[in-house]
Amino acid sequence: MLRALMREVSPSFGRALVRRPGAVAPDAGRAAAQHAAVVAALRALGVEVRVLAGSALWPDCCFVEDAAVVSDGLAFITRPGAESRRGEVALVREALAEVRPVVELSAPLRLDGGDVLRVGDRLLVGLSQRSDPGAVEALRDAFSPEGIEVFGVAVGDALHLKCHASAPVPGLLVSVAGWLPDSLVPPGVERVVVPDAEAYAANTVGVGETVLVAAGYPETSRRLRAHGLEVVELEVDALAAADGSLTCLSVLYSA
Ligand code: CIR
């Protein structure tokens, strides 16, 4: 069974980190409604979802993906790249310790889970402004006993590696063209290429043969359907106002 750990939108979401100064302030009410719809969509697909309480102390706490990387064997707790997000990990660590042995990234190293993309037996790790090369080494130490290989990937000025790529179902990578070098992608993995104009929609979440995708990106939905997948479109623009996307909202793991 697939499980998802999620966390409510903070009442202080209006103060969430936003990359472009001058952007419209994130709206906590709309974001909470969209978040609830994502929870409902996952539950409707049979995912067992646990939703942790949001906290006014942590405006970005709904982006729970950044706090942990979970495999079958362990939960790796990150040290988020933005100082204002460091405290988010405590509750996530507590919840994941109930289901996995926990390993933690040590200071001063920094890592956001949004930079960590699992494709087959590989972890591709974005070397963004939030994630240090040393964290790649720490991930390698933690995950190589499970046979998982770990590679660092340059991401330019993107917030995270997964802003432009995701691996929603086994054997499939969804990404904008040229985002991940073929040499890093395990052999046999197929690609659905998202047009540059719809880059935001490359961030998808898969459950079985169904893919959750941001609403408003019709060509991406069409290409995923053409690949034989069911597509569920979800409005996430209020979460995107704080630079969030679909994968950020959950940590997925098997029971
Ligand atoms: C941040 O800047 O950290 C948040 N406002 C957005 C985090 C999005 N997380 C993700 O893509 N994994």
PDB file of all heavy atoms in Angstrom, residues 16 21 46 48 50 97 182 254:
ATOM      1  N   ALA A  16       5.104  32.808   3.420  1.00  0.00           N
ATOM      2  CA  ALA A  16       5.959  31.757   2.842  1.00  0.00           C
ATOM      3  C   ALA A  16       7.012  32.387   1.924  1.00  0.00           C
ATOM      4  O   ALA A  16       6.824  33.493   1.406  1.00  0.00           O
ATOM      5  CB  ALA A  16       5.090  30.778   2.043  1.00  0.00           C
ATOM      6  N   PRO A  21      10.458  38.895  -5.779  1.00  0.00           N
ATOM      7  CA  PRO A  21       9.917  39.954  -4.931  1.00  0.00           C
ATOM      8  C   PRO A  21       8.836  40.702  -5.694  1.00  0.00           C
ATOM      9  O   PRO A  21       8.906  40.817  -6.915  1.00  0.00           O
ATOM     10  CB  PRO A  21      11.126  40.869  -4.677  1.00  0.00           C
ATOM     11  CG  PRO A  21      12.304  40.234  -5.307  1.00  0.00           C
ATOM     12  CD  PRO A  21      11.850  39.079  -6.157  1.00  0.00           C
ATOM     13  N   GLY A  46      -6.781   5.564  -3.217  1.00  0.00           N
ATOM     14  CA  GLY A  46      -6.432   4.473  -2.314  1.00  0.00           C
ATOM     15  C   GLY A  46      -5.183   4.695  -1.492  1.00  0.00           C
ATOM     16  O   GLY A  46      -4.720   3.795  -0.778  1.00  0.00           O
ATOM     17  N   GLU A  48      -3.101   5.887   1.618  1.00  0.00           N
ATOM     18  CA  GLU A  48      -3.379   6.156   3.025  1.00  0.00           C
ATOM     19  C   GLU A  48      -2.626   7.429   3.411  1.00  0.00           C
ATOM     20  O   GLU A  48      -1.392   7.423   3.473  1.00  0.00           O
ATOM     21  CB  GLU A  48      -2.927   4.984   3.888  1.00  0.00           C
ATOM     22  CG  GLU A  48      -3.341   5.137   5.321  1.00  0.00           C
ATOM     23  CD  GLU A  48      -3.152   3.835   6.075  1.00  0.00           C
ATOM     24  OE1 GLU A  48      -3.778   2.826   5.679  1.00  0.00           O
ATOM     25  OE2 GLU A  48      -2.360   3.840   7.023  1.00  0.00           O
ATOM     26  N   ARG A  50      -1.668  10.569   5.865  1.00  0.00           N
ATOM     27  CA  ARG A  50      -1.642  11.143   7.209  1.00  0.00           C
ATOM     28  C   ARG A  50      -1.315  12.622   7.067  1.00  0.00           C
ATOM     29  O   ARG A  50      -0.298  12.976   6.440  1.00  0.00           O
ATOM     30  CB  ARG A  50      -0.565  10.442   8.050  1.00  0.00           C
ATOM     31  CG  ARG A  50      -0.418  11.067   9.413  1.00  0.00           C
ATOM     32  CD  ARG A  50       0.531  10.285  10.302  1.00  0.00           C
ATOM     33  NE  ARG A  50       0.662  10.932  11.586  1.00  0.00           N
ATOM     34  CZ  ARG A  50       1.557  10.590  12.509  1.00  0.00           C
ATOM     35  NH1 ARG A  50       2.386   9.577  12.276  1.00  0.00           N
ATOM     36  NH2 ARG A  50       1.627  11.245  13.654  1.00  0.00           N
ATOM     37  N   ALA A  97       9.757   8.450  12.024  1.00  0.00           N
ATOM     38  CA  ALA A  97      10.441   7.511  12.932  1.00  0.00           C
ATOM     39  C   ALA A  97       9.506   6.359  13.320  1.00  0.00           C
ATOM     40  O   ALA A  97       9.968   5.300  13.743  1.00  0.00           O
ATOM     41  CB  ALA A  97      10.926   8.249  14.169  1.00  0.00           C
ATOM     42  N   ASP A 182      20.786  12.286 -20.576  1.00  0.00           N
ATOM     43  CA  ASP A 182      20.454  10.869 -20.735  1.00  0.00           C
ATOM     44  C   ASP A 182      21.387   9.977 -19.924  1.00  0.00           C
ATOM     45  O   ASP A 182      20.980   8.936 -19.418  1.00  0.00           O
ATOM     46  CB  ASP A 182      20.547  10.467 -22.217  1.00  0.00           C
ATOM     47  CG  ASP A 182      19.353  10.991 -23.001  1.00  0.00           C
ATOM     48  OD1 ASP A 182      18.308  11.256 -22.377  1.00  0.00           O
ATOM     49  OD2 ASP A 182      19.487  11.151 -24.229  1.00  0.00           O
ATOM     50  N   SER A 254       6.040   3.271   0.772  1.00  0.00           N
ATOM     51  CA  SER A 254       5.173   2.098   0.797  1.00  0.00           C
ATOM     52  C   SER A 254       5.053   1.563   2.217  1.00  0.00           C
ATOM     53  O   SER A 254       5.956   1.735   3.047  1.00  0.00           O
ATOM     54  CB  SER A 254       5.703   1.018  -0.138  1.00  0.00           C
ATOM     55  OG  SER A 254       7.044   0.768   0.181  1.00  0.00           O
TER      56      SER A 254
END
